[in-house]
Amino acid sequence: LLKTCSLHGISTFSFQTWLSQARQSKDYALPNSSWSQGMMDLYSRFLEMCKDGTWKRIPSYSNSIDHIPGKAFWCVCKERKETRLFPRNMDTEGVGFEYAMFLNPSEKRMVCLFQPGPYLEGHPGFAHGGSTATIIDSTIGGCAIFVAGRVMTANLSINYRNPIPLGSVVLVDSKVDQVEGRKVFLSCQVRSIDGQTLHAEATALFIRLDSTKSLQQQMSSQ
Ligand SMILES: CCCCCCCCCC(=O)SCCNC(=O)CCNC(=O)[C@H](O)C(C)(C)COP(=O)(O)OP(=O)(O)OC[C@H]1O[C@@H](n2cnc3c(N)ncnc32)[C@H](O)[C@@H]1OP(=O)(O)O
């Protein structure tokens, strides 16, 4: 029997159930030697806030399926061993997307600590806008999935305000603003650690894929 919990009236899989499903895979959201002191300090600060249960650290895997609560339902193909979650597609630590996410369920909020590496370069010394879009989509998407279940990005609108230096650490802060039927509206800001520099801000629309059944009902009927 699947355990579920209710988040502001929305049925979601229990965090523990999902964790136990994904426990065999390598977790890439743990500190490694490429993380700067700023990244480590921010990570420690959020870990501290996890102690009373307000925030939850979100593990990160190289295969997309491992991220999905109730992954058996999502997995329309049998095995996808050759695929990789896009932001986890580089084997060398520190060269691409280094990131760790934390979820605040009661605020319907997901934050992502992001350190862009040298292979994400756009203009010399700065992160490519597409890499910024990727980390925003992943953070907002993770937030939407945890709050609403099976969703896909329908619209993502980004205003780039200040370039992100490669090797710096930024905080991607996203939240669900509104849920209207199958539509989940979210917003996001990307800021420097000290909060003084706004790098980007975004709004997004995600669509819940099954209009008739909750995830709980879908899993129960399998
Ligand atoms: C922990 C980390 C986890 C990792 C997270 C990774 C997240 C990554 C997320 C992604 O990048 S997903 C990949 C990019 N997205 C896609 O490829 C989606 C492609 N589009 C589709 O598959 C479909 O268009 C979609 C599922 C989004 C919607 O199709 P549906 O047929 O289910 O919906 P429909 O067209 O019936 O529209 C439902 C409602 O949404 C509205 N809608 C749909 N698309 C819209 C749009 N683009 N803009 C505004 N409104 C939109 C539509 O008007 C309608 O409103 P009403 O109910 O009021 O009539």
mmCIF file of all heavy atoms in Angstrom, residues 93-111:
data_model
loop_
_atom_site.group_PDB
_atom_site.id
_atom_site.type_symbol
_atom_site.label_atom_id
_atom_site.label_comp_id
_atom_site.label_asym_id
_atom_site.label_seq_id
_atom_site.Cartn_x
_atom_site.Cartn_y
_atom_site.Cartn_z
ATOM 1 N N GLU A 93 33.456 16.064 -12.113
ATOM 2 C CA GLU A 93 32.886 16.979 -11.118
ATOM 3 C C GLU A 93 33.321 18.417 -11.380
ATOM 4 O O GLU A 93 34.472 18.676 -11.712
ATOM 5 C CB GLU A 93 33.333 16.562 -9.709
ATOM 6 C CG GLU A 93 32.717 15.257 -9.255
ATOM 7 C CD GLU A 93 33.293 14.755 -7.938
ATOM 8 O OE1 GLU A 93 34.298 15.313 -7.452
ATOM 9 O OE2 GLU A 93 32.735 13.788 -7.400
ATOM 10 N N GLY A 94 32.383 19.338 -11.259
ATOM 11 C CA GLY A 94 32.706 20.760 -11.285
ATOM 12 C C GLY A 94 32.687 21.427 -12.645
ATOM 13 O O GLY A 94 32.706 22.650 -12.728
ATOM 14 N N VAL A 95 32.657 20.654 -13.754
ATOM 15 C CA VAL A 95 32.755 21.300 -15.071
ATOM 16 C C VAL A 95 31.407 21.787 -15.603
ATOM 17 O O VAL A 95 31.344 22.680 -16.449
ATOM 18 C CB VAL A 95 33.419 20.378 -16.125
ATOM 19 C CG1 VAL A 95 34.825 20.002 -15.704
ATOM 20 C CG2 VAL A 95 32.561 19.145 -16.395
ATOM 21 N N GLY A 96 30.327 21.195 -15.125
ATOM 22 C CA GLY A 96 29.005 21.561 -15.651
ATOM 23 C C GLY A 96 28.087 22.100 -14.565
ATOM 24 O O GLY A 96 28.375 23.123 -13.934
ATOM 25 N N PHE A 97 26.977 21.408 -14.395
ATOM 26 C CA PHE A 97 25.990 21.823 -13.399
ATOM 27 C C PHE A 97 26.332 21.194 -12.041
ATOM 28 O O PHE A 97 26.223 19.985 -11.879
ATOM 29 C CB PHE A 97 24.586 21.338 -13.796
ATOM 30 C CG PHE A 97 24.031 21.959 -15.038
ATOM 31 C CD1 PHE A 97 24.298 21.415 -16.292
ATOM 32 C CD2 PHE A 97 23.223 23.084 -14.967
ATOM 33 C CE1 PHE A 97 23.769 21.982 -17.450
ATOM 34 C CE2 PHE A 97 22.687 23.655 -16.123
ATOM 35 C CZ PHE A 97 22.968 23.099 -17.359
ATOM 36 N N GLU A 98 26.756 21.989 -11.100
ATOM 37 C CA GLU A 98 26.850 21.513 -9.711
ATOM 38 C C GLU A 98 25.680 22.138 -8.964
ATOM 39 O O GLU A 98 25.543 23.368 -8.921
ATOM 40 C CB GLU A 98 28.178 21.927 -9.068
ATOM 41 C CG GLU A 98 29.387 21.157 -9.569
ATOM 42 C CD GLU A 98 29.344 19.661 -9.226
ATOM 43 O OE1 GLU A 98 28.678 19.284 -8.242
ATOM 44 O OE2 GLU A 98 29.995 18.877 -9.957
ATOM 45 N N TYR A 99 24.832 21.311 -8.408
ATOM 46 C CA TYR A 99 23.659 21.875 -7.743
ATOM 47 C C TYR A 99 23.094 20.928 -6.706
ATOM 48 O O TYR A 99 23.332 19.718 -6.738
ATOM 49 C CB TYR A 99 22.570 22.245 -8.763
ATOM 50 C CG TYR A 99 21.962 21.085 -9.516
ATOM 51 C CD1 TYR A 99 20.769 20.505 -9.096
ATOM 52 C CD2 TYR A 99 22.565 20.585 -10.659
ATOM 53 C CE1 TYR A 99 20.195 19.447 -9.794
ATOM 54 C CE2 TYR A 99 22.004 19.531 -11.369
ATOM 55 C CZ TYR A 99 20.820 18.970 -10.927
ATOM 56 O OH TYR A 99 20.271 17.917 -11.617
ATOM 57 N N ALA A 100 22.371 21.524 -5.776
ATOM 58 C CA ALA A 100 21.659 20.744 -4.756
ATOM 59 C C ALA A 100 20.357 21.478 -4.458
ATOM 60 O O ALA A 100 20.329 22.714 -4.370
ATOM 61 C CB ALA A 100 22.501 20.637 -3.490
ATOM 62 N N MET A 101 19.276 20.686 -4.339
ATOM 63 C CA MET A 101 17.960 21.302 -4.109
ATOM 64 C C MET A 101 17.414 20.983 -2.727
ATOM 65 O O MET A 101 17.687 19.923 -2.165
ATOM 66 C CB MET A 101 16.955 20.797 -5.151
ATOM 67 C CG MET A 101 17.263 21.256 -6.555
ATOM 68 S SD MET A 101 15.916 20.822 -7.693
ATOM 69 C CE MET A 101 16.740 21.080 -9.264
ATOM 70 N N PHE A 102 16.628 21.917 -2.230
ATOM 71 C CA PHE A 102 15.940 21.750 -0.944
ATOM 72 C C PHE A 102 14.478 22.169 -1.127
ATOM 73 O O PHE A 102 14.189 23.193 -1.750
ATOM 74 C CB PHE A 102 16.601 22.603 0.141
ATOM 75 C CG PHE A 102 17.977 22.138 0.523
ATOM 76 C CD1 PHE A 102 19.094 22.545 -0.204
ATOM 77 C CD2 PHE A 102 18.163 21.278 1.609
ATOM 78 C CE1 PHE A 102 20.376 22.107 0.139
ATOM 79 C CE2 PHE A 102 19.434 20.843 1.956
ATOM 80 C CZ PHE A 102 20.539 21.254 1.219
ATOM 81 N N LEU A 103 13.604 21.356 -0.548
ATOM 82 C CA LEU A 103 12.159 21.593 -0.685
ATOM 83 C C LEU A 103 11.567 22.039 0.658
ATOM 84 O O LEU A 103 11.891 21.475 1.707
ATOM 85 C CB LEU A 103 11.483 20.289 -1.106
ATOM 86 C CG LEU A 103 9.955 20.292 -1.202
ATOM 87 C CD1 LEU A 103 9.491 21.037 -2.457
ATOM 88 C CD2 LEU A 103 9.413 18.857 -1.218
ATOM 89 N N ASN A 104 10.725 23.068 0.587
ATOM 90 C CA ASN A 104 9.940 23.477 1.754
ATOM 91 C C ASN A 104 8.478 23.183 1.422
ATOM 92 O O ASN A 104 7.811 23.977 0.746
ATOM 93 C CB ASN A 104 10.144 24.974 2.028
ATOM 94 C CG ASN A 104 9.428 25.431 3.281
ATOM 95 O OD1 ASN A 104 8.323 24.979 3.573
ATOM 96 N ND2 ASN A 104 10.057 26.334 4.022
ATOM 97 N N PRO A 105 7.960 22.017 1.849
ATOM 98 C CA PRO A 105 6.612 21.604 1.435
ATOM 99 C C PRO A 105 5.524 22.573 1.864
ATOM 100 O O PRO A 105 4.603 22.847 1.096
ATOM 101 C CB PRO A 105 6.434 20.237 2.114
ATOM 102 C CG PRO A 105 7.814 19.749 2.382
ATOM 103 C CD PRO A 105 8.610 20.984 2.673
ATOM 104 N N SER A 106 5.605 23.105 3.079
ATOM 105 C CA SER A 106 4.498 23.942 3.541
ATOM 106 C C SER A 106 4.437 25.261 2.778
ATOM 107 O O SER A 106 3.356 25.837 2.592
ATOM 108 C CB SER A 106 4.590 24.187 5.048
ATOM 109 O OG SER A 106 5.717 24.956 5.330
ATOM 110 N N GLU A 107 5.580 25.738 2.301
ATOM 111 C CA GLU A 107 5.593 26.972 1.489
ATOM 112 C C GLU A 107 5.502 26.668 -0.003
ATOM 113 O O GLU A 107 5.555 27.591 -0.826
ATOM 114 C CB GLU A 107 6.873 27.768 1.762
ATOM 115 C CG GLU A 107 6.948 28.332 3.176
ATOM 116 C CD GLU A 107 8.215 29.141 3.415
ATOM 117 O OE1 GLU A 107 9.080 29.212 2.517
ATOM 118 O OE2 GLU A 107 8.341 29.703 4.512
ATOM 119 N N LYS A 108 5.408 25.373 -0.361
ATOM 120 C CA LYS A 108 5.402 24.948 -1.771
ATOM 121 C C LYS A 108 6.549 25.617 -2.513
ATOM 122 O O LYS A 108 6.361 26.240 -3.576
ATOM 123 C CB LYS A 108 4.077 25.306 -2.448
ATOM 124 C CG LYS A 108 2.868 24.653 -1.828
ATOM 125 C CD LYS A 108 1.656 25.049 -2.630
ATOM 126 C CE LYS A 108 0.369 24.770 -1.900
ATOM 127 N NZ LYS A 108 -0.801 25.305 -2.587
ATOM 128 N N ARG A 109 7.735 25.469 -1.937
ATOM 129 C CA ARG A 109 8.899 26.207 -2.417
ATOM 130 C C ARG A 109 10.072 25.251 -2.600
ATOM 131 O O ARG A 109 10.278 24.369 -1.763
ATOM 132 C CB ARG A 109 9.216 27.271 -1.359
ATOM 133 C CG ARG A 109 10.315 28.223 -1.689
ATOM 134 C CD ARG A 109 10.375 29.279 -0.595
ATOM 135 N NE ARG A 109 11.641 29.977 -0.606
ATOM 136 C CZ ARG A 109 12.176 30.574 0.457
ATOM 137 N NH1 ARG A 109 11.542 30.567 1.625
ATOM 138 N NH2 ARG A 109 13.331 31.179 0.354
ATOM 139 N N MET A 110 10.792 25.427 -3.682
ATOM 140 C CA MET A 110 12.005 24.649 -3.936
ATOM 141 C C MET A 110 13.144 25.631 -4.188
ATOM 142 O O MET A 110 13.012 26.540 -5.017
ATOM 143 C CB MET A 110 11.828 23.752 -5.159
ATOM 144 C CG MET A 110 13.036 22.891 -5.483
ATOM 145 S SD MET A 110 13.125 21.396 -4.469
ATOM 146 C CE MET A 110 12.213 20.273 -5.535
ATOM 147 N N VAL A 111 14.263 25.443 -3.474
ATOM 148 C CA VAL A 111 15.445 26.255 -3.781
ATOM 149 C C VAL A 111 16.544 25.351 -4.322
ATOM 150 O O VAL A 111 16.591 24.160 -4.005
ATOM 151 C CB VAL A 111 15.971 27.038 -2.547
ATOM 152 C CG1 VAL A 111 14.919 27.980 -2.012
ATOM 153 C CG2 VAL A 111 16.495 26.099 -1.489
#
